[in-house]
Amino acid sequence: MTSSSASARKALSKIACNRLQKELVEWQVNPPAGFKHKVTDNLQRWVIEVTGAPGTLYANETYQLQVDFPEHYPMEAPQVIFLHPAPMHPHIYSNGHICLDILYDSWSPAMTVSSICISILSMLSSSTVKQRPEDNDRYVKNCRNGRSPKETRWWFHDDKV
Amino acid sequence: MENKEAPLEDGEIKPMSVSMPDLDEWGNFGDDDIMQQQSAIQAEEAKKVPFIGDKEPLSSLEAEYQSGSPILLEKIKVLGEHYAAIRRTRGDGNCFFRSFMFSYLEHILEYQDQTEVDRIKAKVEKCSKTLQTLGYLEFTFEDFFALFLELLDCVIQGKETSISHEELVLRSRDQSESDYVVMFFRFVTSGEIQKRSEFFEPFIMGLSNTTVEQFCKSAVEPMGEESDHVHITALSDALGVPIRVVYLDRSSCDNGGVSVNHHDFIPVADDLPNASTCAETNTPYIRLLYRPGHYDILYPK
């Protein structure tokens, strides 16, 4: 997803705005371990720094997550991608798209930015090999026109990593 | 449940965790247009049936099977002995919750049962406590709870905010409002299942081979995940509202006769309302028609 198409998105609804403000407060009081969010005046896009957990393949490495919230958050899932360079991981494409069910079909309004972050860190931590998904090149080529990962029809059937 | 065609289709659980795209599948849809076309078809299909349809005579159900199974036509006749009308809901995976929402609020609107409103409000308060005890942050569910309570107040007449039956239909068809109430029920259901996890565990293991918590995260809380008897039992217990589900399927009786099975979900004993309208008869006023994979609302004669 390119930044241009994300910013063209509709403004947050009132209910989304309220909810995000509450999430922001909660984050400030109780940030998930391993994550830093530089608070800006842009409530609709959060850029979050993630540091690999000690003792894992990504220990001491730092990456950036970009979280874009749709008009009808939290009924709709946020769009979450890694900014360049994305970590080498069997479920993370070189364009930053992440194959993780809770970001798409299994999203629920019961989740929060914080719980997403914890899931992503857990996904990184359980990886045993630093490599791209096998179909990386084909997928990334397909996304060249700036397609959002939310428009991808994901198939989740590997639960080992 | 005595029914032979237990709602298996509803029990399907998507894989839980982080996964890889299927390589073969990728080859099939390299073109972005296919994706767009697919969602366009889905949207088109969805528009044909509103979230909550109009009340239709039962004969409309019969018309649907005119060239179909004789067993079903027979069963619809039997159904016609007790039921007069059907109200269809959209088959978007939320049909059980949506049917329950409308049926319940319509009942309150019709009977102006303030005692029941007070009773359920106390239950809702308990559900909120349950979620907090389970570790849910209040801000993740409070908006959904607030919207349901607001609608509940609106159907009681004589206030500035009161709404008519017509308005209730309209609001149930409004996506944002309707979905928020569906989500409220999903929270309530999830909370109840987790609160009584030792009770629900064997049923969940039978359906999906996942833990209770995983089941709630993947098959209760996300919108569009279909419901079966676990969800119905939990919602009925949590809110203390009995629910009748009438099964319309191709199964036939051993003696050759045709009958229509139903199952009453009666809230666990100590939670039964004392003064509510349903207490004297114990017959559920929420009546849903189940056809494999889908729930609609039924109206008695």
Side-chain angles (χ1 to χ4, degrees):
Chain A
M1 180 88 180
T2 61
S3 52
S4 61
S5 56
S7 53
R9 210 183 270 138
K10 281 192 186 168
L12 294 171
S13 66
K14 204 176 140 215
I15 209 158
C17 239
N18 281 337
R19 160 77 176 241
L20 276 172
Q21 260 145 7
K22 289 180 225 167
E23 288 208 34
L24 198 55
V25 171
E26 171 63 24
W27 180 292
Q28 283 160 340
V29 177
N30 191 14
F35 295 88
K36 268 185 221 148
H37 169 218
K38 269 184 259 140
V39 180
T40 65
D41 54 2
N42 187 354
L43 196 59
Q44 195 160 8
R45 168 173 292 175
W46 297 18
V47 176
I48 297 168
E49 198 179 273
V50 48
T51 306
T56 70
L57 289 181
Y58 307 89
N60 300 319
E61 292 176 14
T62 301
Y63 298 96
Q64 291 202 306
L65 282 169
Q66 177 175 289
V67 186
D68 284 296
F69 298 95
E71 182 189 8
H72 296 296
Y73 181 81
M75 285 309 290
E76 277 175 51
Q79 176 193 282
V80 185
I81 59 168
F82 274 105
L83 293 177
H84 190 75
M88 290 285 270
H89 184 284
H91 298 159
I92 301 171
Y93 292 87
S94 55
N95 63 357
H97 290 194
I98 307 165
C99 182
L100 178 63
D101 61 352
I102 57 157
L103 299 178
Y104 313 106
D105 293 359
S106 302
W107 165 256
S108 140
M111 296 172 192
T112 61
V113 185
S114 189
S115 67
I116 291 173
C117 285
I118 292 166
S119 294
I120 289 176
L121 188 60
S122 143
M123 182 180 105
L124 285 177
S125 298
S126 54
S127 173
T128 54
V129 53
K130 275 187 166 178
Q131 65 178 37
R132 290 286 174 221
E134 280 181 56
D135 61 330
N136 185 70
D137 293 352
R138 185 163 31 160
Y139 176 72
V140 171
K141 203 171 129 208
N142 261 319
C143 293
R144 268 186 316 204
N145 60 356
R147 183 167 79 186
S148 159
K150 289 176 73 182
E151 289 162 36
T152 299
R153 189 157 55 119
W154 296 96
W155 289 79
F156 309 104
H157 63 221
D158 165 19
D159 52 6
K160 288 188 283 296
V161 181
Chain B
M1 213 179 331
E2 65 268 47
N3 198 279
K4 288 201 185 81
E5 279 184 37
L8 282 176
E9 289 161 327
D10 272 20
E12 273 186 15
I13 306 299
K14 281 179 201 139
M16 280 303 303
S17 47
V18 188
S19 332
M20 294 260 300
D22 184 301
L23 296 184
D24 293 324
E25 288 297 328
W26 280 114
N28 295 338
F29 78 103
D31 194 353
D32 287 345
D33 293 341
I34 296 175
M35 281 298 295
Q36 276 164 17
Q37 206 178 0
Q38 274 190 344
S39 54
I41 291 170
Q42 271 170 11
E44 201 63 26
E45 278 299 307
K47 271 186 222 148
K48 284 184 197 156
V49 182
F51 287 127
I52 294 290
D54 290 327
K55 200 166 169 178
E56 301 170 59
L58 211 61
S59 55
S60 81
L61 193 60
E62 208 177 316
E64 213 179 298
Y65 292 100
Q66 228 23 272
S67 53
S69 151
I71 292 183
L72 285 179
L73 282 172
E74 277 292 310
K75 285 194 174 186
I76 292 166
K77 271 209 192 96
V78 176
L79 203 62
E81 291 166 15
H82 301 285
Y83 297 96
I86 180 175
R87 191 188 289 274
R88 295 170 201 270
T89 63
R90 186 181 293 180
D92 61 356
N94 300 309
C95 53
F96 163 69
F97 291 112
R98 197 106 56 192
S99 298
F100 180 86
M101 162 183 82
F102 188 81
S103 201
Y104 183 77
L105 291 171
E106 187 182 42
H107 174 86
I108 301 295
L109 182 90
E110 210 165 301
Y111 288 84
Q112 292 298 300
D113 187 347
Q114 185 64 50
T115 315
E116 168 60 15
V117 170
D118 295 340
R119 188 198 65 79
I120 203 162
K121 276 187 178 171
K123 284 288 191 187
V124 170
E125 187 53 40
K126 263 192 179 175
C127 295
S128 165
K129 291 267 168 357
T130 299
L131 287 170
Q132 280 172 12
T133 310
L134 289 166
Y136 286 69
L137 296 168
E138 200 173 356
F139 73 75
T140 60
F141 61 85
E142 62 189 0
D143 294 339
F144 304 91
F145 276 56
L147 195 80
F148 172 73
L149 292 173
E150 189 195 312
L151 258 179
L152 193 59
D153 277 332
C154 288
V155 292
I156 294 290
Q157 301 302 295
K159 284 177 280 193
E160 228 172 90
T161 51
S162 297
I163 59 171
S164 63
H165 186 273
E166 228 167 60
E167 263 172 293
L168 177 62
V169 172
L170 289 179
R171 289 178 75 163
S172 304
R173 285 177 185 169
D174 173 71
Q175 170 150 24
S176 59
E177 202 155 0
S178 200
D179 279 353
Y180 263 74
V181 178
V182 167
M183 195 55 218
F184 159 74
F185 290 129
R186 288 185 177 277
F187 271 115
V188 167
T189 304
S190 181
E192 182 73 12
I193 292 173
Q194 292 176 79
K195 185 177 85 178
R196 291 161 57 215
S197 59
E198 65 301 330
F199 171 79
F200 285 105
E201 197 175 18
F203 301 101
I204 288 170
M205 288 298 284
L207 283 173
S208 65
N209 204 25
T210 58
T211 66
V212 170
E213 200 192 342
Q214 276 173 333
F215 177 82
C216 289
K217 295 271 173 287
S218 63
V220 182
E221 290 174 6
M223 289 293 284
E225 287 295 330
E226 293 182 352
S227 301
D228 66 28
H229 62 272
V230 169
H231 304 70
I232 304 174
T233 304
L235 184 66
S236 170
D237 286 351
L239 296 178
V241 177
I243 301 170
R244 170 167 294 180
V245 177
V246 179
Y247 298 90
L248 184 60
D249 55 37
R250 280 166 217 272
S251 65
S252 54
C253 301
D254 295 335
N255 59 16
V258 167
S259 65
V260 179
N261 296 330
H262 69 256
H263 182 82
D264 287 346
F265 293 83
I266 305 293
V268 281
D270 57 16
D271 281 358
L272 265 182
N274 303 316
S276 159
T277 45
C278 68
E280 59 264 53
T281 59
N282 228 5
T283 301
Y285 54 80
I286 308 285
R287 303 168 191 89
L288 307 179
L289 177 68
Y290 178 77
R291 287 177 281 169
H294 189 65
Y295 296 88
D296 293 305
I297 302 166
L298 274 180
Y299 292 91
K301 277 192 163 165

